[in-house]
Amino acid sequence: LHFMLILGIETSCDETGVALFDTEEGLLAHGLFSQIDMHADYGGVVPELASRDHVRKLLPLCDQVLVDAGRVRSDIEGIAYTAGPGLIGALMVGGSVAHALGFALDVPVLGVHHMEGHLLAPMLEENPPAFPFVALLVSGGHTQLVRVDGIGEYELLGESVDDAAGEAFDKTAKMLGLDYPGGPRVAALAEKGTPGRYRFPRPMTDRPGLDFSFSGLKTYTLNTVNAAKDAGGLDEQVRADIALAFESAVVDTLTIKCRRALEVTGCKRLVIAGGVSANRRLRAGLEGMASKLSAAVFYARPEFCTDNGAMIAYAGAQRLLAGQQDGERIIAVPRWPM
Ligand code: KG4
Ligand code: ZN
């Protein structure tokens, strides 16, 4: 096989994402249905509601993406879907549709790892990173530093021993009375913060190693919020000051560990991926650090930092081209280390 038109399907959590990737022409079209408004009333993703909405949205979205690309179903030459990690019901929807379509069209089908999708999303941009590189994966469920030597050649350098960075953003948002998902909202509130008003810890940066811990930071935020409340002063400005102090602590912590990872590996390329990589202060912090090491930072456009079908189509395409496929079984793995 040399060239293929791949349909990519992402349904691991609260976004239904579909894309068509041509291994010669690149990304042809992509579409996303976000369930954020539906889950917002509950303060987080409700798994059963997520599954049902994927059922409603997935096939219409596949057809829409085909129309946008000027193609028809029978043009599809391979199908990639997110096989995990994620919510089991949501994963099953994507896997079922992928396998049903693949069976009907008689084309290979492959379940891919969600985090490999995130990891490779920057490859969809102009000037993609060459191998090897160090990747910082920062999403709602993962905070990992990985050395990447090629597709499927991943060496875990370090990871969070407790909460993921995105999770810490989401919990901080809740404490500050902001809606789900909290990351972008904390970042927006932090824009109005006074630098230096509060100073939060930079967890695990004073000892060697490349692991992270964010649960202590969450407690620190809670204590600061409660202290401000007790003092009768949790107004908009104080909330913004806390948001900024929290965001700065996360950015500094991630930046210190990324610098270490670049130094330890000798790599001159840093890739950041996953929802939190959309964070502007994080991008700026990492770029400042990297320029001092004469290293370059790579990331995806904001809509491809969070969950999307394009990253799954791309990751799947690389593996389908190499001849990998599922066979007849649907793969759905809620917990799955990369
Ligand atoms: O990669 P993603 O869409 O889903 C997972 O695989 O988890 O990441 C979602 C996470 C959420 O925790 C969200 O709050 C966070 O990414 N996030 C951000 C920003 N945009 C999304 N965190 C900080 N700043 C942002 N701009
Ligand atoms: Zn994700």
Side-chain angles (χ1 to χ4, degrees), residues 8-19 30-36 38 49-62 65 90 93-94 97 307-310:
I9 294 176
E10 156 63 36
T11 64
S12 68
C13 190
D14 59 346
E15 328 264 4
T16 314
V18 174
H30 61 98
L32 189 84
F33 270 117
S34 175
Q35 306 176 357
I36 282 174
M38 189 179 80
L49 295 183
S51 310
R52 292 179 192 198
D53 206 54
H54 288 307
V55 170
R56 273 191 292 270
K57 303 291 173 51
L58 184 50
L59 269 176
L61 192 56
C62 289
V65 165
V93 176
V97 168
D307 293 349
N308 65 87

PDB file of all heavy atoms in Angstrom, residues 8-19 30-36 38 49-62 65 90 93-94 97 307-310:
ATOM      1  N   GLY A   8     -11.062   8.922  10.082  1.00  0.00           N
ATOM      2  CA  GLY A   8     -10.685   8.872  11.497  1.00  0.00           C
ATOM      3  C   GLY A   8     -11.877   9.188  12.375  1.00  0.00           C
ATOM      4  O   GLY A   8     -12.636  10.112  12.078  1.00  0.00           O
ATOM      5  N   ILE A   9     -12.047   8.405  13.444  1.00  0.00           N
ATOM      6  CA  ILE A   9     -13.207   8.569  14.341  1.00  0.00           C
ATOM      7  C   ILE A   9     -12.738   8.679  15.786  1.00  0.00           C
ATOM      8  O   ILE A   9     -12.021   7.807  16.285  1.00  0.00           O
ATOM      9  CB  ILE A   9     -14.156   7.356  14.202  1.00  0.00           C
ATOM     10  CG1 ILE A   9     -14.774   7.321  12.794  1.00  0.00           C
ATOM     11  CG2 ILE A   9     -15.247   7.396  15.272  1.00  0.00           C
ATOM     12  CD1 ILE A   9     -15.640   6.095  12.541  1.00  0.00           C
ATOM     13  N   GLU A  10     -13.138   9.745  16.463  1.00  0.00           N
ATOM     14  CA  GLU A  10     -12.795   9.940  17.873  1.00  0.00           C
ATOM     15  C   GLU A  10     -14.086  10.049  18.695  1.00  0.00           C
ATOM     16  O   GLU A  10     -14.915  10.930  18.439  1.00  0.00           O
ATOM     17  CB  GLU A  10     -11.959  11.228  18.028  1.00  0.00           C
ATOM     18  CG  GLU A  10     -11.993  11.901  19.401  1.00  0.00           C
ATOM     19  CD  GLU A  10     -11.417  11.052  20.526  1.00  0.00           C
ATOM     20  OE1 GLU A  10     -10.437  10.327  20.288  1.00  0.00           O
ATOM     21  OE2 GLU A  10     -11.957  11.117  21.654  1.00  0.00           O
ATOM     22  N   THR A  11     -14.263   9.129  19.649  1.00  0.00           N
ATOM     23  CA  THR A  11     -15.440   9.204  20.538  1.00  0.00           C
ATOM     24  C   THR A  11     -15.069   8.802  21.970  1.00  0.00           C
ATOM     25  O   THR A  11     -15.885   8.217  22.665  1.00  0.00           O
ATOM     26  CB  THR A  11     -16.574   8.255  20.072  1.00  0.00           C
ATOM     27  OG1 THR A  11     -16.110   6.902  20.158  1.00  0.00           O
ATOM     28  CG2 THR A  11     -17.063   8.557  18.677  1.00  0.00           C
ATOM     29  N   SER A  12     -13.850   9.118  22.420  1.00  0.00           N
ATOM     30  CA  SER A  12     -13.441   8.571  23.721  1.00  0.00           C
ATOM     31  C   SER A  12     -14.056   9.277  24.912  1.00  0.00           C
ATOM     32  O   SER A  12     -14.126   8.725  25.997  1.00  0.00           O
ATOM     33  CB  SER A  12     -11.918   8.599  23.839  1.00  0.00           C
ATOM     34  OG  SER A  12     -11.455   9.930  23.923  1.00  0.00           O
ATOM     35  N   CYS A  13     -14.517  10.517  24.706  1.00  0.00           N
ATOM     36  CA  CYS A  13     -15.042  11.259  25.858  1.00  0.00           C
ATOM     37  C   CYS A  13     -16.259  12.091  25.456  1.00  0.00           C
ATOM     38  O   CYS A  13     -17.300  11.533  25.123  1.00  0.00           O
ATOM     39  CB  CYS A  13     -13.917  12.095  26.463  1.00  0.00           C
ATOM     40  SG  CYS A  13     -14.339  12.823  28.043  1.00  0.00           S
ATOM     41  N   ASP A  14     -16.124  13.396  25.424  1.00  0.00           N
ATOM     42  CA  ASP A  14     -17.296  14.247  25.194  1.00  0.00           C
ATOM     43  C   ASP A  14     -17.256  15.017  23.881  1.00  0.00           C
ATOM     44  O   ASP A  14     -17.968  15.994  23.722  1.00  0.00           O
ATOM     45  CB  ASP A  14     -17.486  15.222  26.369  1.00  0.00           C
ATOM     46  CG  ASP A  14     -16.280  16.119  26.571  1.00  0.00           C
ATOM     47  OD1 ASP A  14     -15.213  15.834  26.002  1.00  0.00           O
ATOM     48  OD2 ASP A  14     -16.404  17.108  27.307  1.00  0.00           O
ATOM     49  N   GLU A  15     -16.399  14.578  22.940  1.00  0.00           N
ATOM     50  CA  GLU A  15     -16.406  15.191  21.620  1.00  0.00           C
ATOM     51  C   GLU A  15     -16.538  14.074  20.586  1.00  0.00           C
ATOM     52  O   GLU A  15     -15.814  13.088  20.647  1.00  0.00           O
ATOM     53  CB  GLU A  15     -15.100  15.946  21.306  1.00  0.00           C
ATOM     54  CG  GLU A  15     -14.422  16.570  22.482  1.00  0.00           C
ATOM     55  CD  GLU A  15     -14.775  18.043  22.652  1.00  0.00           C
ATOM     56  OE1 GLU A  15     -15.611  18.556  21.897  1.00  0.00           O
ATOM     57  OE2 GLU A  15     -14.191  18.661  23.566  1.00  0.00           O
ATOM     58  N   THR A  16     -17.455  14.271  19.634  1.00  0.00           N
ATOM     59  CA  THR A  16     -17.525  13.372  18.494  1.00  0.00           C
ATOM     60  C   THR A  16     -16.698  14.018  17.395  1.00  0.00           C
ATOM     61  O   THR A  16     -17.040  15.101  16.916  1.00  0.00           O
ATOM     62  CB  THR A  16     -18.980  13.216  17.989  1.00  0.00           C
ATOM     63  OG1 THR A  16     -19.842  12.996  19.108  1.00  0.00           O
ATOM     64  CG2 THR A  16     -19.095  12.049  17.035  1.00  0.00           C
ATOM     65  N   GLY A  17     -15.582  13.384  17.032  1.00  0.00           N
ATOM     66  CA  GLY A  17     -14.695  13.962  16.022  1.00  0.00           C
ATOM     67  C   GLY A  17     -14.520  13.018  14.844  1.00  0.00           C
ATOM     68  O   GLY A  17     -14.372  11.813  15.033  1.00  0.00           O
ATOM     69  N   VAL A  18     -14.573  13.569  13.642  1.00  0.00           N
ATOM     70  CA  VAL A  18     -14.395  12.762  12.429  1.00  0.00           C
ATOM     71  C   VAL A  18     -13.503  13.541  11.466  1.00  0.00           C
ATOM     72  O   VAL A  18     -13.578  14.769  11.403  1.00  0.00           O
ATOM     73  CB  VAL A  18     -15.754  12.466  11.747  1.00  0.00           C
ATOM     74  CG1 VAL A  18     -15.552  11.751  10.409  1.00  0.00           C
ATOM     75  CG2 VAL A  18     -16.643  11.624  12.658  1.00  0.00           C
ATOM     76  N   ALA A  19     -12.647  12.829  10.739  1.00  0.00           N
ATOM     77  CA  ALA A  19     -11.810  13.496   9.742  1.00  0.00           C
ATOM     78  C   ALA A  19     -11.489  12.542   8.609  1.00  0.00           C
ATOM     79  O   ALA A  19     -11.545  11.325   8.772  1.00  0.00           O
ATOM     80  CB  ALA A  19     -10.516  13.996  10.381  1.00  0.00           C
ATOM     81  N   HIS A  30     -12.512  17.860   8.235  1.00  0.00           N
ATOM     82  CA  HIS A  30     -12.716  17.369   9.599  1.00  0.00           C
ATOM     83  C   HIS A  30     -13.921  18.061  10.203  1.00  0.00           C
ATOM     84  O   HIS A  30     -14.293  19.157   9.791  1.00  0.00           O
ATOM     85  CB  HIS A  30     -11.476  17.595  10.465  1.00  0.00           C
ATOM     86  CG  HIS A  30     -11.093  19.031  10.617  1.00  0.00           C
ATOM     87  ND1 HIS A  30     -11.440  19.786  11.708  1.00  0.00           N
ATOM     88  CD2 HIS A  30     -10.405  19.862   9.801  1.00  0.00           C
ATOM     89  CE1 HIS A  30     -10.978  21.001  11.556  1.00  0.00           C
ATOM     90  NE2 HIS A  30     -10.353  21.089  10.407  1.00  0.00           N
ATOM     91  N   GLY A  31     -14.547  17.373  11.172  1.00  0.00           N
ATOM     92  CA  GLY A  31     -15.722  17.949  11.819  1.00  0.00           C
ATOM     93  C   GLY A  31     -15.784  17.524  13.270  1.00  0.00           C
ATOM     94  O   GLY A  31     -15.203  16.500  13.658  1.00  0.00           O
ATOM     95  N   LEU A  32     -16.450  18.319  14.080  1.00  0.00           N
ATOM     96  CA  LEU A  32     -16.517  18.028  15.512  1.00  0.00           C
ATOM     97  C   LEU A  32     -17.884  18.428  16.053  1.00  0.00           C
ATOM     98  O   LEU A  32     -18.390  19.510  15.748  1.00  0.00           O
ATOM     99  CB  LEU A  32     -15.437  18.833  16.247  1.00  0.00           C
ATOM    100  CG  LEU A  32     -15.224  18.479  17.718  1.00  0.00           C
ATOM    101  CD1 LEU A  32     -14.274  17.296  17.843  1.00  0.00           C
ATOM    102  CD2 LEU A  32     -14.661  19.664  18.494  1.00  0.00           C
ATOM    103  N   PHE A  33     -18.479  17.516  16.822  1.00  0.00           N
ATOM    104  CA  PHE A  33     -19.650  17.876  17.624  1.00  0.00           C
ATOM    105  C   PHE A  33     -19.203  17.871  19.069  1.00  0.00           C
ATOM    106  O   PHE A  33     -18.793  16.833  19.587  1.00  0.00           O
ATOM    107  CB  PHE A  33     -20.775  16.839  17.471  1.00  0.00           C
ATOM    108  CG  PHE A  33     -21.726  17.129  16.357  1.00  0.00           C
ATOM    109  CD1 PHE A  33     -21.841  16.239  15.296  1.00  0.00           C
ATOM    110  CD2 PHE A  33     -22.522  18.265  16.369  1.00  0.00           C
ATOM    111  CE1 PHE A  33     -22.724  16.482  14.253  1.00  0.00           C
ATOM    112  CE2 PHE A  33     -23.408  18.516  15.336  1.00  0.00           C
ATOM    113  CZ  PHE A  33     -23.507  17.624  14.275  1.00  0.00           C
ATOM    114  N   SER A  34     -19.255  19.002  19.741  1.00  0.00           N
ATOM    115  CA  SER A  34     -18.873  19.027  21.149  1.00  0.00           C
ATOM    116  C   SER A  34     -20.109  18.862  22.010  1.00  0.00           C
ATOM    117  O   SER A  34     -21.153  19.445  21.747  1.00  0.00           O
ATOM    118  CB  SER A  34     -18.190  20.345  21.487  1.00  0.00           C
ATOM    119  OG  SER A  34     -17.936  20.367  22.876  1.00  0.00           O
ATOM    120  N   GLN A  35     -19.976  18.043  23.057  1.00  0.00           N
ATOM    121  CA  GLN A  35     -21.091  17.831  23.990  1.00  0.00           C
ATOM    122  C   GLN A  35     -20.981  18.723  25.219  1.00  0.00           C
ATOM    123  O   GLN A  35     -21.738  18.534  26.180  1.00  0.00           O
ATOM    124  CB  GLN A  35     -21.108  16.366  24.445  1.00  0.00           C
ATOM    125  CG  GLN A  35     -21.139  15.361  23.322  1.00  0.00           C
ATOM    126  CD  GLN A  35     -21.057  13.936  23.848  1.00  0.00           C
ATOM    127  OE1 GLN A  35     -20.920  13.699  25.052  1.00  0.00           O
ATOM    128  NE2 GLN A  35     -21.126  12.966  22.949  1.00  0.00           N
ATOM    129  N   ILE A  36     -20.055  19.667  25.181  1.00  0.00           N
ATOM    130  CA  ILE A  36     -19.753  20.445  26.383  1.00  0.00           C
ATOM    131  C   ILE A  36     -21.008  21.075  26.998  1.00  0.00           C
ATOM    132  O   ILE A  36     -21.223  20.984  28.205  1.00  0.00           O
ATOM    133  CB  ILE A  36     -18.686  21.525  26.075  1.00  0.00           C
ATOM    134  CG1 ILE A  36     -17.311  20.868  26.028  1.00  0.00           C
ATOM    135  CG2 ILE A  36     -18.699  22.636  27.131  1.00  0.00           C
ATOM    136  CD1 ILE A  36     -16.174  21.773  25.605  1.00  0.00           C
ATOM    137  N   MET A  38     -24.033  20.119  26.846  1.00  0.00           N
ATOM    138  CA  MET A  38     -24.908  19.086  27.413  1.00  0.00           C
ATOM    139  C   MET A  38     -24.438  18.655  28.809  1.00  0.00           C
ATOM    140  O   MET A  38     -25.242  18.422  29.703  1.00  0.00           O
ATOM    141  CB  MET A  38     -24.904  17.877  26.477  1.00  0.00           C
ATOM    142  CG  MET A  38     -25.919  16.822  26.807  1.00  0.00           C
ATOM    143  SD  MET A  38     -25.794  15.486  25.601  1.00  0.00           S
ATOM    144  CE  MET A  38     -24.408  14.584  26.236  1.00  0.00           C
ATOM    145  N   LEU A  49     -24.803   9.771  28.979  1.00  0.00           N
ATOM    146  CA  LEU A  49     -25.238  10.831  28.061  1.00  0.00           C
ATOM    147  C   LEU A  49     -24.242  10.980  26.917  1.00  0.00           C
ATOM    148  O   LEU A  49     -24.621  11.220  25.772  1.00  0.00           O
ATOM    149  CB  LEU A  49     -25.385  12.168  28.800  1.00  0.00           C
ATOM    150  CG  LEU A  49     -26.482  12.245  29.875  1.00  0.00           C
ATOM    151  CD1 LEU A  49     -26.540  13.651  30.463  1.00  0.00           C
ATOM    152  CD2 LEU A  49     -27.834  11.860  29.291  1.00  0.00           C
ATOM    153  N   ALA A  50     -22.969  10.823  27.240  1.00  0.00           N
ATOM    154  CA  ALA A  50     -21.925  10.933  26.205  1.00  0.00           C
ATOM    155  C   ALA A  50     -22.122   9.853  25.151  1.00  0.00           C
ATOM    156  O   ALA A  50     -22.154  10.139  23.953  1.00  0.00           O
ATOM    157  CB  ALA A  50     -20.542  10.825  26.833  1.00  0.00           C
ATOM    158  N   SER A  51     -22.298   8.592  25.592  1.00  0.00           N
ATOM    159  CA  SER A  51     -22.472   7.485  24.644  1.00  0.00           C
ATOM    160  C   SER A  51     -23.659   7.743  23.725  1.00  0.00           C
ATOM    161  O   SER A  51     -23.577   7.573  22.507  1.00  0.00           O
ATOM    162  CB  SER A  51     -22.727   6.168  25.382  1.00  0.00           C
ATOM    163  OG  SER A  51     -21.770   5.972  26.369  1.00  0.00           O
ATOM    164  N   ARG A  52     -24.781   8.145  24.320  1.00  0.00           N
ATOM    165  CA  ARG A  52     -25.994   8.336  23.521  1.00  0.00           C
ATOM    166  C   ARG A  52     -25.817   9.448  22.500  1.00  0.00           C
ATOM    167  O   ARG A  52     -26.320   9.349  21.375  1.00  0.00           O
ATOM    168  CB  ARG A  52     -27.173   8.684  24.440  1.00  0.00           C
ATOM    169  CG  ARG A  52     -27.571   7.512  25.304  1.00  0.00           C
ATOM    170  CD  ARG A  52     -28.705   7.881  26.210  1.00  0.00           C
ATOM    171  NE  ARG A  52     -28.889   6.856  27.223  1.00  0.00           N
ATOM    172  CZ  ARG A  52     -29.988   6.714  27.936  1.00  0.00           C
ATOM    173  NH1 ARG A  52     -31.001   7.544  27.759  1.00  0.00           N
ATOM    174  NH2 ARG A  52     -30.072   5.764  28.834  1.00  0.00           N
ATOM    175  N   ASP A  53     -25.107  10.494  22.875  1.00  0.00           N
ATOM    176  CA  ASP A  53     -24.922  11.589  21.930  1.00  0.00           C
ATOM    177  C   ASP A  53     -23.972  11.181  20.791  1.00  0.00           C
ATOM    178  O   ASP A  53     -24.160  11.582  19.651  1.00  0.00           O
ATOM    179  CB  ASP A  53     -24.406  12.841  22.645  1.00  0.00           C
ATOM    180  CG  ASP A  53     -24.804  14.109  21.891  1.00  0.00           C
ATOM    181  OD1 ASP A  53     -26.024  14.267  21.624  1.00  0.00           O
ATOM    182  OD2 ASP A  53     -23.928  14.908  21.541  1.00  0.00           O
ATOM    183  N   HIS A  54     -22.966  10.369  21.118  1.00  0.00           N
ATOM    184  CA  HIS A  54     -22.095   9.862  20.044  1.00  0.00           C
ATOM    185  C   HIS A  54     -22.929   9.059  19.038  1.00  0.00           C
ATOM    186  O   HIS A  54     -22.726   9.167  17.828  1.00  0.00           O
ATOM    187  CB  HIS A  54     -20.978   8.975  20.606  1.00  0.00           C
ATOM    188  CG  HIS A  54     -19.908   9.731  21.342  1.00  0.00           C
ATOM    189  ND1 HIS A  54     -19.234  10.801  20.787  1.00  0.00           N
ATOM    190  CD2 HIS A  54     -19.378   9.562  22.580  1.00  0.00           C
ATOM    191  CE1 HIS A  54     -18.342  11.258  21.664  1.00  0.00           C
ATOM    192  NE2 HIS A  54     -18.417  10.530  22.758  1.00  0.00           N
ATOM    193  N   VAL A  55     -23.859   8.234  19.563  1.00  0.00           N
ATOM    194  CA  VAL A  55     -24.723   7.440  18.670  1.00  0.00           C
ATOM    195  C   VAL A  55     -25.494   8.363  17.733  1.00  0.00           C
ATOM    196  O   VAL A  55     -25.598   8.125  16.538  1.00  0.00           O
ATOM    197  CB  VAL A  55     -25.709   6.566  19.485  1.00  0.00           C
ATOM    198  CG1 VAL A  55     -26.758   5.934  18.566  1.00  0.00           C
ATOM    199  CG2 VAL A  55     -24.963   5.492  20.263  1.00  0.00           C
ATOM    200  N   ARG A  56     -26.022   9.446  18.296  1.00  0.00           N
ATOM    201  CA  ARG A  56     -26.805  10.382  17.472  1.00  0.00           C
ATOM    202  C   ARG A  56     -25.955  11.098  16.431  1.00  0.00           C
ATOM    203  O   ARG A  56     -26.386  11.328  15.311  1.00  0.00           O
ATOM    204  CB  ARG A  56     -27.446  11.457  18.379  1.00  0.00           C
ATOM    205  CG  ARG A  56     -28.797  11.062  18.958  1.00  0.00           C
ATOM    206  CD  ARG A  56     -29.471  12.270  19.608  1.00  0.00           C
ATOM    207  NE  ARG A  56     -28.758  12.706  20.807  1.00  0.00           N
ATOM    208  CZ  ARG A  56     -29.004  12.258  22.028  1.00  0.00           C
ATOM    209  NH1 ARG A  56     -29.959  11.389  22.233  1.00  0.00           N
ATOM    210  NH2 ARG A  56     -28.317  12.691  23.061  1.00  0.00           N
ATOM    211  N   LYS A  57     -24.746  11.488  16.801  1.00  0.00           N
ATOM    212  CA  LYS A  57     -23.975  12.411  15.961  1.00  0.00           C
ATOM    213  C   LYS A  57     -22.984  11.760  14.998  1.00  0.00           C
ATOM    214  O   LYS A  57     -22.618  12.358  13.990  1.00  0.00           O
ATOM    215  CB  LYS A  57     -23.192  13.392  16.857  1.00  0.00           C
ATOM    216  CG  LYS A  57     -24.046  14.189  17.813  1.00  0.00           C
ATOM    217  CD  LYS A  57     -24.910  15.194  17.109  1.00  0.00           C
ATOM    218  CE  LYS A  57     -25.919  15.900  18.015  1.00  0.00           C
ATOM    219  NZ  LYS A  57     -25.333  16.475  19.229  1.00  0.00           N
ATOM    220  N   LEU A  58     -22.541  10.546  15.319  1.00  0.00           N
ATOM    221  CA  LEU A  58     -21.378  10.028  14.588  1.00  0.00           C
ATOM    222  C   LEU A  58     -21.599   9.802  13.082  1.00  0.00           C
ATOM    223  O   LEU A  58     -20.829  10.305  12.262  1.00  0.00           O
ATOM    224  CB  LEU A  58     -20.860   8.749  15.264  1.00  0.00           C
ATOM    225  CG  LEU A  58     -19.587   8.152  14.678  1.00  0.00           C
ATOM    226  CD1 LEU A  58     -18.491   9.185  14.525  1.00  0.00           C
ATOM    227  CD2 LEU A  58     -19.109   6.997  15.547  1.00  0.00           C
ATOM    228  N   LEU A  59     -22.643   9.058  12.727  1.00  0.00           N
ATOM    229  CA  LEU A  59     -22.823   8.781  11.288  1.00  0.00           C
ATOM    230  C   LEU A  59     -23.140  10.035  10.486  1.00  0.00           C
ATOM    231  O   LEU A  59     -22.555  10.238   9.407  1.00  0.00           O
ATOM    232  CB  LEU A  59     -23.891   7.700  11.078  1.00  0.00           C
ATOM    233  CG  LEU A  59     -23.336   6.271  11.024  1.00  0.00           C
ATOM    234  CD1 LEU A  59     -24.475   5.261  10.901  1.00  0.00           C
ATOM    235  CD2 LEU A  59     -22.333   6.083   9.891  1.00  0.00           C
ATOM    236  N   PRO A  60     -24.037  10.914  10.976  1.00  0.00           N
ATOM    237  CA  PRO A  60     -24.247  12.174  10.238  1.00  0.00           C
ATOM    238  C   PRO A  60     -22.955  12.972  10.062  1.00  0.00           C
ATOM    239  O   PRO A  60     -22.729  13.572   9.005  1.00  0.00           O
ATOM    240  CB  PRO A  60     -25.241  12.945  11.126  1.00  0.00           C
ATOM    241  CG  PRO A  60     -25.959  11.891  11.899  1.00  0.00           C
ATOM    242  CD  PRO A  60     -24.967  10.774  12.112  1.00  0.00           C
ATOM    243  N   LEU A  61     -22.091  12.940  11.086  1.00  0.00           N
ATOM    244  CA  LEU A  61     -20.840  13.682  10.990  1.00  0.00           C
ATOM    245  C   LEU A  61     -19.905  13.054   9.948  1.00  0.00           C
ATOM    246  O   LEU A  61     -19.227  13.767   9.195  1.00  0.00           O
ATOM    247  CB  LEU A  61     -20.164  13.742  12.367  1.00  0.00           C
ATOM    248  CG  LEU A  61     -18.991  14.706  12.521  1.00  0.00           C
ATOM    249  CD1 LEU A  61     -19.373  16.129  12.144  1.00  0.00           C
ATOM    250  CD2 LEU A  61     -18.460  14.673  13.956  1.00  0.00           C
ATOM    251  N   CYS A  62     -19.885  11.715   9.894  1.00  0.00           N
ATOM    252  CA  CYS A  62     -19.086  11.028   8.867  1.00  0.00           C
ATOM    253  C   CYS A  62     -19.543  11.468   7.476  1.00  0.00           C
ATOM    254  O   CYS A  62     -18.724  11.781   6.596  1.00  0.00           O
ATOM    255  CB  CYS A  62     -19.234   9.507   8.982  1.00  0.00           C
ATOM    256  SG  CYS A  62     -18.431   8.784  10.422  1.00  0.00           S
ATOM    257  N   VAL A  65     -18.504  15.102   6.705  1.00  0.00           N
ATOM    258  CA  VAL A  65     -17.078  15.236   6.392  1.00  0.00           C
ATOM    259  C   VAL A  65     -16.798  14.738   4.964  1.00  0.00           C
ATOM    260  O   VAL A  65     -15.996  15.334   4.233  1.00  0.00           O
ATOM    261  CB  VAL A  65     -16.238  14.493   7.459  1.00  0.00           C
ATOM    262  CG1 VAL A  65     -14.808  14.293   6.996  1.00  0.00           C
ATOM    263  CG2 VAL A  65     -16.276  15.263   8.779  1.00  0.00           C
ATOM    264  N   ALA A  90     -18.643   5.201  25.349  1.00  0.00           N
ATOM    265  CA  ALA A  90     -18.305   6.147  24.280  1.00  0.00           C
ATOM    266  C   ALA A  90     -17.351   5.499  23.278  1.00  0.00           C
ATOM    267  O   ALA A  90     -17.523   5.621  22.064  1.00  0.00           O
ATOM    268  CB  ALA A  90     -17.686   7.409  24.878  1.00  0.00           C
ATOM    269  N   VAL A  93     -19.100   3.047  20.900  1.00  0.00           N
ATOM    270  CA  VAL A  93     -19.841   3.655  19.787  1.00  0.00           C
ATOM    271  C   VAL A  93     -18.904   3.841  18.592  1.00  0.00           C
ATOM    272  O   VAL A  93     -19.214   3.433  17.467  1.00  0.00           O
ATOM    273  CB  VAL A  93     -20.473   5.001  20.193  1.00  0.00           C
ATOM    274  CG1 VAL A  93     -21.159   5.645  18.992  1.00  0.00           C
ATOM    275  CG2 VAL A  93     -21.459   4.811  21.349  1.00  0.00           C
ATOM    276  N   GLY A  94     -17.750   4.454  18.833  1.00  0.00           N
ATOM    277  CA  GLY A  94     -16.796   4.687  17.744  1.00  0.00           C
ATOM    278  C   GLY A  94     -16.306   3.382  17.139  1.00  0.00           C
ATOM    279  O   GLY A  94     -16.241   3.233  15.913  1.00  0.00           O
ATOM    280  N   VAL A  97     -19.181   1.652  15.023  1.00  0.00           N
ATOM    281  CA  VAL A  97     -19.413   2.308  13.730  1.00  0.00           C
ATOM    282  C   VAL A  97     -18.227   2.066  12.797  1.00  0.00           C
ATOM    283  O   VAL A  97     -18.403   1.768  11.611  1.00  0.00           O
ATOM    284  CB  VAL A  97     -19.686   3.818  13.931  1.00  0.00           C
ATOM    285  CG1 VAL A  97     -19.638   4.556  12.596  1.00  0.00           C
ATOM    286  CG2 VAL A  97     -21.033   4.020  14.609  1.00  0.00           C
ATOM    287  N   ASP A 307      -9.567  17.141  21.928  1.00  0.00           N
ATOM    288  CA  ASP A 307      -9.944  15.931  21.203  1.00  0.00           C
ATOM    289  C   ASP A 307     -10.510  16.250  19.812  1.00  0.00           C
ATOM    290  O   ASP A 307     -11.289  17.191  19.659  1.00  0.00           O
ATOM    291  CB  ASP A 307     -10.977  15.149  22.018  1.00  0.00           C
ATOM    292  CG  ASP A 307     -10.365  14.596  23.295  1.00  0.00           C
ATOM    293  OD1 ASP A 307      -9.132  14.636  23.429  1.00  0.00           O
ATOM    294  OD2 ASP A 307     -11.129  14.124  24.147  1.00  0.00           O
ATOM    295  N   ASN A 308     -10.131  15.460  18.839  1.00  0.00           N
ATOM    296  CA  ASN A 308     -10.572  15.688  17.460  1.00  0.00           C
ATOM    297  C   ASN A 308     -10.362  14.433  16.620  1.00  0.00           C
ATOM    298  O   ASN A 308      -9.628  13.525  17.020  1.00  0.00           O
ATOM    299  CB  ASN A 308      -9.786  16.865  16.853  1.00  0.00           C
ATOM    300  CG  ASN A 308      -8.311  16.545  16.716  1.00  0.00           C
ATOM    301  OD1 ASN A 308      -7.872  15.985  15.717  1.00  0.00           O
ATOM    302  ND2 ASN A 308      -7.513  16.862  17.743  1.00  0.00           N
ATOM    303  N   GLY A 309     -11.009  14.364  15.470  1.00  0.00           N
ATOM    304  CA  GLY A 309     -10.894  13.196  14.611  1.00  0.00           C
ATOM    305  C   GLY A 309      -9.640  13.205  13.761  1.00  0.00           C
ATOM    306  O   GLY A 309      -9.141  12.146  13.360  1.00  0.00           O
ATOM    307  N   ALA A 310      -9.101  14.403  13.489  1.00  0.00           N
ATOM    308  CA  ALA A 310      -7.956  14.510  12.584  1.00  0.00           C
ATOM    309  C   ALA A 310      -6.734  13.777  13.144  1.00  0.00           C
ATOM    310  O   ALA A 310      -6.014  13.088  12.410  1.00  0.00           O
ATOM    311  CB  ALA A 310      -7.625  15.983  12.336  1.00  0.00           C
TER     312      ALA A 310
END
